[in-house]
Amino acid sequence: MIRVEALSKEYLSGGRPLAVLKDITLEIPTGELAAIVGPSGSGKTTLLGLLAGLDRPTRGRVIVDGTDLTTLSEDGLAAFRAERVGFVFQSFHLIPTLTARENVEVPLELRGEEAGSRADELLARVGLQGREHHYPAQLSGGEQQRVALARAFSNRPRILFADEPTGNLDQATGQRVVEILLELNRELGTTTVLVTHDLELARLTRRIIRLADGAVVGDTLAGAAAG
Amino acid sequence: MNSFTFVRQLAWRESRAAGRRLLLLTTAISIGVGALVAIESFTDNLTVALEGQSRALLGGDLALSTRTEPTPGFRLVLDSLTRAAGADPATDLAEVTSFAGMAYVPRTAGTRLVRVSALQGDYPFYGKVITDPEGAWGRLAEGRVTLVDPAFLTSLGAAVGDTMALGESRFVIAGTVASFPGDVGVRAAFGPRVFIPARYLEETGLLGFGSRAEYDWFLRVPASLDTKPFADTWRPSVGAQQGRLKTAVEEEEDLRQFLDQLGRYLGLVALIALLLGGIGVGSAVQVFIKRKRDTIAVLRCLGATSGQVFAAYLLQAAAMGFLGSLAGVFLGLLLQLAMPRVFGAFLPLDVSVEPSIQAILTGLGVGVWVALVFALLPLLAVRRVPPLAVLRRDVEEGARRRADGWIWAARLVLALSVVGMAMLQVGDALKGLAFSAGVGAALLVLWLAALGLIRSLRRWFPHRLPYVLRQGLANLYRPANQTVAVVLALGFGAFLLGALAVMQHNLLRQLQLDGGLGRPNLVFFDIQPDQKDDVLAEIRTAGLEAQPAVPIVPMRLAAINGIRVKEMLADTMKRPVRDGERVEGWALRREYRSTYRDTSVGSEKLVVGDWWRAGAGGAPGPAPLSLEVGIASDLAVTIRDTLTWDIQGVEIASVVANLREVYWAWFEPNFFAVVPEGPLADAPQSFVVLTRVDDAAVMGSLQRAIVERHPNVTSIDLTSIQQSVEKIVASVALAIRFMAFFSLATGVVVLIGALATSRYQRVREAALLKTLGATRRQVVRIMVTEYAALGVLAAIVATGLASLGGWALMKYTFEVPFTVPWLGFGILALVLVALPVTTGLWTSLDLFRRSPLAVLREE
Ligand SMILES: Nc1ncnc2c1ncn2[C@@H]1O[C@H](COP(=O)(O)OP(=O)(O)OP(=O)(O)O)[C@@H](O)[C@H]1O
Ligand SMILES: [Mg+2]
């Protein structure tokens, strides 16, 4: 379970503090499928970064499964991510010097685990069998994002964060990526937090959190949740 | 807005953002420019210092010298020459006799091998001798006094006022000589100099039979005499008396030529550093342009022509080259201060350090040009960025397109520039071409080796390694990597240093005496026949083993196969022919210090013929003769040829019985000519005795005992000679290393530049890895692996090539066995690995300060 308590984030902008997130409190139960939506600049990426421990809040706390992220050291946060978190980014962020399969293996290897057949399984799962040994540059955008998805799930994360995973993809490809994402969420019971502009996509989720100007302006449970 | 203004503004605005990074990469040429400026300024200073100093360097306007005791004939020629020159023999002629001898200070009981100069006349006529106390030089004329090198006093613990024994004579030490005109620093390693008045030379009894001395005369002539043509007319008659004639004017010309050569060759080293810097610039520009693809595509979309964009970046390169060169000029002016220290020991001049305008301008010009020609080739890629790239930024560039005319032109300009600069530097077209070819070949081999290593790493990638190691290694061939450039730039400097280490190691090993089990390390020379037994007894009393005394008989050639040497010297057509050429005069004229024995020794090997039976010397007819192969070929003789020798007026005939190859080890008595025992038993001769002393105290007391009983006997402690030689080699090596250092330093700058240019990529990747859960330690280990691998690559390539080159040099040039200098290589490899690791981690420091989110946002 993710608990956010009175979370604020300010950036220094031109010497003056600029409040990007203002006193946000919310709870995301284990296994939840939630979407964060809102206009550009409303603080979605910032919130996601704080939930994943990629950045530190100005005030407030983020508690994941009982652990207060704000008390962890830099390496403690890294261990936390290696242990429990998966990521998908709008612009894929694959390591260009590694093949598709090696990219998928990275999170496991960082934990010192034998990657073995799991990478192949996952790649097959996202429909990329036969492309294991291709470098990112040899894959299309949609294919790269599917590799990124396989990578996100390789360490069996308890939580998956996705920042506009379909933003750089055409609609059909985006659709396919989302389907895989939802399937995996369902099968593995992964808590999933999705940032998106795409209301079509948001509608597929169980819960929609609306941000505007750094504050939560709406939090609705959708009846049409998939699953 | 006209086109050029646009280009200029674009260049300026573009450099605002990337300025620091670009500047860093152009500093790659700074070191080369610095070396160039320092060297050119230094040689300029030297040439200025030389101006008008030549007479002081020589000690007079004219100098005569000979290595054999002057005959009455020689004196006659000297006398008429002096008069013809218009000089007064009483005041304008000085005589200096130089030889090695044992000096002994009774008060401190210290002995020391010294270089004695016995002076008569007002020598030196020009230049100033600086003594301590001041004015002590004049006291040489007063009586039994001596002036010595300061090193003499320190090594014997003696002081001014002490008495010094030299042979049978005693001298009061009146002062030390701090500076003598024309003296070269390194010579001091062969023993301190001691000046005595020639009046007492006879009295010392040191110039007995068999001892070697050098005789010099110095002349002061009226200014009206044109010495050069004068010397030319007199040279034949001086030569006929086995003497040499030199003039101050010619000395100056020779020295000027030497300095010119020195400057040119040192300049080549600077050129190498510059070229390596150029490679660094080229490589960095290539990466820079790749990263600028987006910007360029946008500019093209907005209507800039490819020519304009190209010109803007070229202008930028020129401006940065200028700044880099400017930094180099300042560096050079600083370096110039160090030059006299490094090279001073080899030069007979005191140099004042002054910046040379010409050197500065050359440095600036050459620096900018190198930056431009090396940037040109990668910059041409700018023209190929299509405006469409804006829309397809993720698409990697496709297969390499064929080189067009422009690229070929750029390559040609680059090649011509390199060859041209080398030619200008060497001052000789052919040598310049050879130099460029040599450097080109070395770089090519380094490049191929680096590329080969990377390719094989990729091909046989160690998949079983832990992830962090694998990721680090994979980074070596990441897109836009600069692995080859860094390995090349670091490797070349390391290769030069490595080759130096190989040579020093292998050549010095030849001199190692301690290792040679029981090899003699103390030699006594000039032992007269009646002293021989006593010297041997003295050695045995000291508890040491003395090898049998080796007789030395000085002989000269009188005839070869019946033809008199005199006739051969007068008429070249009478000389024997060897490989289509007549035998040279020196081989016929020289003194052969020979020996007699009935057995062959370990340091020689028979190649033709057999050794004679013991007692062969007693048989009637010509004696059998053993010749060294080299001298036999110089004399164009072989076995069964007849050589007649003149031994102090007595002639002895011999027939070549065999030819030997000689291993000329240091200071072991080896000979060109050996005859059997018997015929020379009564000839005038002296003896050499060798022994091995391991105890330093015994070494001192034995030398002292012998010098007290037989002052004319010279002893040489080979261990100290070896140390002197090592000292000289070390100072030569220092000078070379100083130059090789420029290449390595350039390599480091290229390394820093390369790491800084690819920093952006690294920072992003590290942030990504941290997002995926990598700890700081893992990130650091990935980097360390990559940088260490770079260093290891450079080390393998450099030491491999240095070994190969060193091996060939040892085998074919020096003909000595080759071993790898493991210690030197080990240190070199450590440095090569430590360098990239430390600079790499240093340039990535702020990577740990930024949050991953901030980095990933930067799209
Ligand atoms: N390092 C920073 N310094 C100053 N301001 C920042 C910084 N990072 C983000 N901001 C500001 O914080 C606000 C929220 O940014 P954030 O990226 O979270 O928005 P977003 O909702 O993800 O927008 P989008 O939909 O466009 O991705 C923006 O106004 C942005 O300018
Ligand atoms: Mg965002």
Side-chain angles (χ1 to χ4, degrees), chain B residues 94-98 117-120 123 193 214-218:
Chain B
E95 181 172 340
V96 178
T97 311
S98 316
S117 293
L119 312 180
Q120 180 197 311
Y123 177 73
R193 243 177 128 172
E214 203 183 307
Y215 304 83
D216 295 279
W217 291 265
F218 300 92

Side-chain angles (χ1 to χ4, degrees), chain B residues 322-489:
Chain B
F322 179 75
L323 289 178
S325 305
L326 206 61
V329 166
F330 284 109
L331 180 71
L333 294 179
L334 276 179
L335 277 174
Q336 199 193 342
L337 298 174
M339 303 294 282
R341 277 176 191 282
V342 178
F343 297 101
F346 307 102
L347 299 170
L349 295 165
D350 289 330
V351 195
S352 61
V353 174
E354 263 165 55
S356 144
I357 297 293
Q358 195 202 332
I360 292 174
L361 291 181
T362 311
L364 278 180
V366 172
V368 172
W369 186 246
V370 166
L372 267 183
V373 291
F374 277 92
L376 199 58
L377 210 50
L379 272 184
L380 283 172
V382 164
R383 301 166 311 136
R384 288 188 167 162
V385 177
L388 203 66
V390 200
L391 305 176
R392 301 192 304 150
R393 49 185 275 176
D394 277 339
V395 181
E396 279 282 307
E397 251 179 300
R400 241 192 260 163
R401 268 160 288 185
R402 288 209 354 261
D404 61 10
W406 284 104
I407 292 195
W408 279 111
R411 285 179 187 164
L412 193 69
V413 168
L414 181 60
L416 285 180
S417 300
V418 172
V419 174
M421 283 188 291
M423 281 179 178
L424 280 178
Q425 190 58 52
V426 189
D428 176 310
L430 209 62
K431 280 186 194 157
L433 208 61
F435 169 81
S436 338
V439 172
L443 284 175
L444 188 72
V445 173
L446 272 166
W447 181 70
L448 285 176
L451 209 65
L453 274 172
I454 293 164
R455 286 266 162 86
S456 41
L457 182 68
R458 195 168 190 170
R459 175 103 172 60
W460 295 286
F461 194 78
H463 288 285
R464 290 163 168 272
L465 286 180
Y467 165 71
V468 284
L469 297 185
R470 269 189 293 132
Q471 175 70 52
L473 289 180
N475 284 352
L476 289 180
Y477 48 81
R478 64 163 80 231
N481 71 75
Q482 295 186 79
T483 307
V484 171
V486 168
V487 168
L488 213 64

Side-chain angles (χ1 to χ4, degrees), chain A residues 39-46 48 90 163-164 195 197, chain B residues 857:
Chain A
S40 181
S42 55
K44 306 183 292 292
T45 300
T46 309
L48 200 70
Q90 176 173 0
D163 191 359
E164 308 200 20
V195 164
H197 271 127
Chain B
R857 256 182 213 281

